[in-house]
Amino acid sequence: MKFGGTSVATLPRWQNILELATSRRAEGARVVVVVSALSGITDALKQMCGEGDKGKRIEAARAIEQRHYELLGHMELELPPALDARLKDLLALAEDGPAKLGELAWQAQVQAHGELLSSTLGAAFLSRSGLATQWLDARDCLAAVALPNQNERTKLLSAMVDARPEPALNARLAAKGEVFITQGFIARESEGRTVLLGRGGSDTSASYFGALLKAARVEIWTDVAGMFTANPRQVPGARLLQKLDYEEAQEIASTGAKVLHPRCLSPLREPRVPLLVKDTNRPELEGTVIGPQVREHAPSVKAISARKGITLVSMESVGMWQQVGFLADVFAQFKQHGLSVDLIGSAETNVTVSLDPTENLLDSDAVAALAADLAKVCRVKVIAPCAAITLVGRGMRSMLHTLSTVLAEFGQLRVHLISQSSNNLNLTFVVDENVVDELLPHLHELLIAAGALRTDDSALFGPSWQSLYGSGEVAISSAWWREPGQRKRLLGIAAEATPRYVYHLPTVRSQAQSLKQLGAVDRLHYAVKANTHPAILSALAEEGFAFECVSPGELDAVSATVPTEVPLLFTPNFASRSDFERGLATRATITLDALYPVEHWGELFRGREVSLRVDLGRGLGHHEKVRTGGSGSKFGLPVDQLDSFLRHADAHGITVRGLHAHLGSGILDPKHWGEVYGQLASLAERIGSIAFLNIGGGLGVPSHPGEARLDLAALDTVLRQVKAAYPHYQLWMEPGRYLVADAGVLLARVTQTKGKGGWRYLGVDTGMNSLIRPALYDAWHEIANLSRLGEEADGLFQVVGPICESGDVLGSDRRLPEPAEGDVVLIAQAGAYGKVMSSPYNLRGDTEEVVLDD
Ligand code: ADP
Ligand code: ASP
Ligand code: MG
């Protein structure tokens, strides 16, 4: 059991340690407690080492002494003679300075005192509290090995131990007692000198002991309940990783997750000792188990980590790549300067490498000396400070297609180097250090939204840090169909017939009401293409919505259902002349989005007021441009044809009253609508006749567990800001999916299962004929076995329909309970673009719709 700095810094934590060690004893285990120095003490000792002035060193030693006295006081312990002796040793080292031992050996000896003191103090506390505890000198057990190319610095301050199971040590300890306390961070080298294992190295000490003793397990007790998908202090939405294999955990640790020292996993692999990461203050939380087991998981990014303080060395030389021995010459310099290289990128005339501060004792002198020597063989450029952002997950290369939004984000930054590890476990981007803090939470969100980080796999991803430690303000939105009464009702509906769509009108209404809170918006239209069920049209009409239609058929459906005074929009795309004729025969405001209609059918619109849909093209930034803007999209009039459009309109007495743009769908960032609004407004200023601006829809509905909801208050703020500058225009919006997606579910029935190779298929009685979004857009819909809601979900299934298409997959790699024929399966968020996009393909018959009013 290893306890880190914060875990040993206060009396309440020591009480936890006592309790935890006692409970392990009660289970019959023998316990080795490995401790860090009290938090902050190693830093203080290191600072003391840098002090040239003896008086200041002594002052620092006294302050450290004081910290320990205070803790002793809280523990109500007399000063134990062993602790007194260690404090005196430290004082002597402060007085002597490095002269006697040599600079590096002295530094190691001084810094070792953090752990020597905390363990001595801990031994006294545990024994006094009734748990007989033997103090063990870690240096008698951990022998540092001499490594090739090691310099004096790494040998003394970043040593390694070759820890293999040693039955003799086990027997020796067994003869002495049951509970031991020892130091993390320190070992002894062959000449008998004290050495350090590198900053954060106490975790590694614990693993060395775990391997030497072939322990039942190693427990790392720290200030957080495990390894998370990102540093939780930086990304509060980071999710607990419940189970990891050694390789993935290793990768996460070595790419920046400080919670485990990068060297602490390799000693455990061969003896197959599992490692558990737990929170000392909240021992009831599950934590992370790391072991040899490779469980069946959905292919997923497991974590995003970042390392700061990275130095890039770019080496330029003409024709170098083909030149025999060039790389050998270059790397010889790194070897000579004792620097280990992390990432490598190469080109015809350039090799760029990164140096990681956790593996290198990097200071500006070391880098300058290296650069000076390298300059003899090539042109050298040092780029610092940089940061390496790494995505970790087994089989990274097979997940690239899920990363497009993340890659788009990097597209907007200066990326110095991209590296893809040859073990296929990571993908790393080196960027300027100052962008990292803001970028990381954003990237984490994008990974969840893109389904690259499969938060739906509940066997792997636990709760978010925020929900475990936060102020509890995270709204965990619970879908209506999970409520026991509704679930029972749905099972009844499915018992009558499947497949069936079921729509929950109160959800439609509450979504509508939430949008009505957008004070900046003057008129809301429901984009009826999402779902044209009359009950939904009526409910939204009652909520005061206007309606947006894209075809004569939709105009008919709406006209047949909603009261005649409700405003309509007709916004077709590539509509025929006759479509426009039909539209013009209704009360709808017509939107044009091309030159052709005014050029060729101008007479049709004579004397009319129309709205014009424009394509804002490049104005929306890279990510949106890819989706809707530019010549790749068939929608909208390109802005460069605006003048021509206005001339034609003028010639036919057509007044352009409105401007419209729609930037895409599933957008969760409020800023985007502000941008569209601002751009439309400035275009409107040029036109003069404009009365309203329609900024479209596309309001995102999160689908993955943990994905943040669209912040409507923030959206309103953004819109109000633009409105303040352009108060003379009405603001319109036309959301579709936002209003109805969550309200609808598709109910189907399990027909059979099939195993094939490593895969398990779960067949249901409908597929892409009812719901085409997964096949068409790779859309992700939550899938639940409604008959077995709440049962343990062990299996990983491909959920498929009966259509004769290999694309007939409703969901891949879904964690579900063991199913039986006839179970009712629910496909969530099917209220939008479900039934309306269904087809008679394979003549599977129509999927019925059922409406629930409460
Ligand atoms: P100890 O002193 O117990 O060794 P550390 O400070 O070394 O503790 O490590 C725990 C800290 O690691 C956490 O408080 C957290 O800030 C940081 N950390 C960085 N990345 C991660 C991650 N992916 N998961 C959990 N913790 C992380
Ligand atoms: N006390 C050492 C450090 O702060 C080792 C550790 O805590 O893991 O680096
Ligand atoms: Mg640590």
Side-chain angles (χ1 to χ4, degrees):
M1 306 175 82
K2 176 262 172 176
F3 294 89
T6 46
S7 301
V8 297
T10 60
L11 171 62
R13 293 293 187 280
W14 274 103
Q15 281 157 341
N16 290 353
I17 296 174
L18 171 67
E19 217 170 283
L20 289 165
T22 308
S23 79
R24 295 300 178 270
R25 269 305 299 140
E27 291 162 17
R30 291 186 291 135
V31 182
V32 177
V33 173
V34 177
V35 288
S36 284
L38 312 198
S39 59
I41 291 295
T42 309
D43 286 335
L45 289 165
K46 201 168 167 221
Q47 210 173 350
M48 181 184 134
C49 290
E51 196 52 77
D53 180 77
K54 181 163 128 185
K56 292 227 169 99
R57 285 200 303 262
I58 291 173
E59 204 180 298
R62 290 280 181 217
I64 290 165
E65 185 177 63
Q66 196 52 39
R67 265 286 296 283
H68 290 83
Y69 284 162
E70 274 164 27
L71 183 54
L72 269 181
H74 293 151
M75 290 172 165
E76 297 177 347
L77 274 178
E78 293 295 321
L79 176 64
L83 185 64
D84 189 32
R86 300 241 169 258
L87 287 165
K88 292 210 163 77
D89 287 346
L90 178 63
L91 215 56
L93 283 162
E95 275 185 31
D96 292 349
K100 260 198 235 162
L101 293 171
E103 177 69 41
L104 294 166
W106 174 75
Q107 280 185 24
Q109 184 72 24
V110 170
Q111 289 175 45
H113 271 75
E115 274 70 8
L116 289 167
L117 293 168
S118 63
S119 58
T120 308
L121 197 153
F125 173 78
L126 293 176
S127 294
R128 196 279 319 265
S129 308
L131 185 69
T133 304
Q134 316 281 321
W135 186 86
L136 183 69
D137 193 328
R139 295 167 294 188
D140 295 341
C141 309
L142 304 184
V145 285
L147 294 169
N149 306 322
Q150 215 177 14
N151 60 24
E152 191 68 359
R153 227 175 138 81
T154 44
K155 190 171 168 186
L156 282 153
L157 303 182
S158 184
M160 292 209 226
V161 171
D162 186 13
R164 291 161 201 275
E166 240 182 64
L169 175 65
N170 221 327
R172 184 151 65 86
L173 294 192
K176 277 172 87 178
E178 257 96 41
V179 181
F180 295 84
I181 187 166
T182 190
Q183 310 77 44
F185 193 41
I186 64 174
R188 182 174 287 141
E189 46 87 275
S190 54
E191 292 166 40
R193 295 180 298 178
T194 299
V195 298
L196 306 179
L197 303 178
R199 290 308 304 267
S202 293
D203 302 326
T204 301
S205 301
S207 291
Y208 288 151
F209 275 100
L212 285 172
L213 300 171
K214 206 163 181 341
R217 66 176 175 274
V218 168
E219 299 179 355
I220 300 290
W221 291 87
T222 180
D223 58 359
V224 60
M227 210 169 211
F228 282 71
T229 53
N231 181 353
R233 320 265 171 210
Q234 228 168 0
V235 183
R239 306 284 295 251
L240 176 65
L241 288 157
Q242 298 178 130
K243 292 190 173 79
L244 288 170
D245 61 44
Y246 293 127
E247 288 80 13
E248 279 178 316
Q250 167 75 58
E251 205 72 16
I252 299 171
S254 43
T255 56
K258 176 176 170 244
V259 62
L260 288 182
H261 190 246
R263 290 186 190 155
C264 84
L265 287 159
S266 64
L268 302 178
R269 282 196 206 179
E270 211 179 282
R272 297 169 82 82
V273 176
L275 179 140
L276 195 63
V277 184
K278 298 271 285 179
D279 182 347
T280 314
N281 201 32
R282 306 266 309 267
E284 76 284 3
L285 298 179
E286 287 289 321
T288 303
V289 187
I290 299 167
Q293 79 286 0
V294 182
R295 274 189 57 128
E296 188 194 12
H297 286 308
S300 173
V301 172
K302 302 282 165 56
I304 177 165
S305 28
R307 282 170 291 163
K308 289 189 180 176
I310 301 281
T311 298
L312 283 184
V313 183
S314 152
M315 294 158 283
E316 194 89 31
S317 174
V318 178
M320 51 127 278
W321 187 242
Q322 311 287 349
Q323 203 178 303
V324 175
F326 176 80
L327 284 180
D329 291 347
V330 162
F331 284 120
Q333 297 298 335
F334 286 86
K335 175 175 168 182
Q336 185 164 346
H337 288 267
L339 293 169
S340 113
V341 165
D342 184 25
L343 307 167
I344 305 177
S346 71
E348 181 74 30
T349 62
N350 177 289
V351 181
T352 299
V353 303
S354 75
L355 302 172
D356 180 338
T358 52
E359 282 304 315
N360 292 295
L361 301 157
L362 279 182
D363 51 42
S364 48
D365 289 352
V367 177
L370 169 80
D373 279 345
L374 283 172
K376 293 172 194 156
V377 279
C378 55
R379 255 185 306 132
V380 190
K381 195 164 119 201
V382 175
I383 309 169
C386 295
I389 296 181
T390 304
L391 307 179
V392 181
R394 183 171 294 289
M396 238 10 252
R397 280 171 229 154
S398 68
M399 289 182 253
L400 292 176
H401 64 289
T402 63
L403 299 178
S404 58
T405 50
V406 173
L407 295 177
E409 208 58 31
F410 280 111
Q412 304 188 24
L413 298 171
R414 217 150 64 103
V415 178
H416 299 294
L417 184 76
I418 299 178
S419 141
Q420 182 260 126
S421 68
S422 46
N423 60 7
N424 204 5
L425 274 165
N426 92 43
L427 185 61
T428 298
F429 301 83
V430 180
V431 295
D432 291 330
E433 193 184 74
N434 58 7
V435 303
V436 170
D437 290 338
E438 215 179 301
L439 188 62
L440 225 57
H442 183 49
L443 290 178
H444 190 267
E445 258 177 41
L446 287 177
L447 286 169
I448 294 180
L453 207 149
R454 290 285 304 268
T455 45
D456 61 297
D457 190 344
S458 55
L460 178 58
F461 297 99
S464 71
W465 182 85
Q466 197 167 28
S467 67
L468 292 173
Y469 297 90
S471 49
E473 64 206 31
V474 253
I476 300 174
S477 73
S478 184
W480 61 271
W481 50 265
R482 288 190 180 279
E483 197 266 311
Q486 298 289 9
R487 175 186 165 225
K488 212 168 137 209
R489 213 163 152 201
L490 289 170
L491 287 171
I493 291 169
E496 291 162 13
T498 52
R500 276 176 142 184
Y501 274 104
V502 184
Y503 306 133
H504 186 239
L505 288 185
T507 301
V508 176
R509 290 202 188 92
S510 86
Q511 289 295 90
Q513 283 152 14
S514 71
L515 287 185
K516 288 199 293 192
Q517 304 300 313
L518 293 171
V521 181
D522 298 292
R523 196 200 277 178
L524 285 160
H525 306 79
Y526 169 47
V528 305
K529 60 182 181 289
N531 188 326
T532 43
H533 195 284
I536 288 179
L537 298 179
S538 298
L540 287 169
E542 280 163 27
E543 291 298 335
F545 272 66
F547 293 83
E548 189 248 341
C549 305
V550 297
S551 71
E554 286 186 358
L555 281 172
D556 291 346
V558 173
S559 303
T561 313
V562 310
T564 48
E565 70 278 6
V566 176
L568 305 182
L569 277 180
F570 183 48
T571 316
N573 175 246
F574 283 93
S576 64
R577 185 182 170 117
S578 65
D579 283 353
F580 281 114
E581 282 165 354
R582 289 181 62 187
L584 286 164
T586 69
R587 66 180 182 283
T589 302
I590 312 287
T591 300
L592 298 173
D593 82 336
L595 211 47
Y596 196 96
V598 283
E599 225 173 14
H600 298 274
W601 317 321
E603 281 311 307
L604 209 58
F605 304 97
R606 179 165 292 281
R608 291 286 191 144
E609 295 193 341
V610 300
S611 160
L612 171 64
R613 175 173 183 169
V614 289
D615 176 359
L616 297 171
R618 325 204 131 253
L620 291 177
H622 180 78
H623 175 130
E624 304 317 325
K625 182 185 69 189
V626 173
R627 284 196 189 166
T628 58
S631 38
S633 144
K634 71 176 182 132
F635 299 97
L637 181 85
V639 172
D640 60 10
Q641 293 174 18
L642 181 61
D643 290 339
S644 174
F645 185 95
L646 293 174
R647 268 197 310 278
H648 285 291
D650 212 32
H652 292 99
I654 306 167
T655 312
V656 182
R657 269 292 172 250
L659 276 183
H660 175 221
H662 174 71
L663 59 154
S665 58
I667 300 160
L668 291 159
D669 182 355
K671 282 202 305 286
H672 292 294
W673 287 280
E675 285 170 27
V676 176
Y677 188 8
Q679 283 178 286
L680 285 183
S682 66
L683 274 183
E685 299 287 272
R686 262 173 62 189
I687 297 172
S689 57
I690 301 296
F692 63 87
L693 303 174
N694 181 348
I695 58 170
L699 294 94
V701 185
S703 50
H704 298 88
E707 195 181 344
R709 298 193 75 81
L710 174 65
D711 184 344
L712 287 180
L715 174 59
D716 201 32
T717 307
V718 167
L719 297 179
R720 279 175 194 277
Q721 280 163 358
V722 184
K723 189 148 204 174
Y726 300 98
H728 42 296
Y729 301 122
Q730 281 218 357
L731 174 61
W732 293 6
M733 284 190 94
E734 44 179 41
R737 180 170 160 70
Y738 189 86
L739 291 161
V740 291
D742 284 326
V745 297
L746 173 61
L747 300 179
R749 228 169 238 293
V750 174
T751 59
Q752 62 214 280
T753 57
K754 183 191 273 186
K756 203 174 171 191
W759 297 66
R760 293 192 71 195
Y761 291 89
L762 187 159
V764 295
D765 61 3
T766 195
M768 66 192 291
N769 55 320
S770 291
L771 184 66
I772 200 174
R773 297 186 77 248
L776 191 61
Y777 311 127
D778 270 334
W780 194 91
H781 286 259
E782 181 176 0
I783 298 179
N785 186 328
L786 203 61
S787 307
R788 296 173 194 281
L789 210 58
E791 282 184 25
E792 196 163 344
D794 287 329
L796 207 58
F797 292 93
Q798 316 303 317
V799 182
V800 299
I803 300 299
C804 292
E805 287 287 332
S806 47
D808 186 26
V809 178
L810 291 168
S812 318
D813 303 308
R814 298 310 175 92
R815 180 84 50 200
L816 290 166
E818 207 48 45
E821 185 182 337
D823 279 359
V824 176
V825 165
L826 177 147
I827 297 107
Q829 287 188 318
Y833 305 104
K835 170 74 180 178
V836 289
M837 281 182 128
S838 65
S839 79
Y841 189 35
N842 285 187
L843 299 184
R844 275 278 160 197
D846 207 28
T847 305
E848 272 184 85
E849 294 169 288
V850 179
V851 177
L852 304 179
D853 222 335
D854 56 273

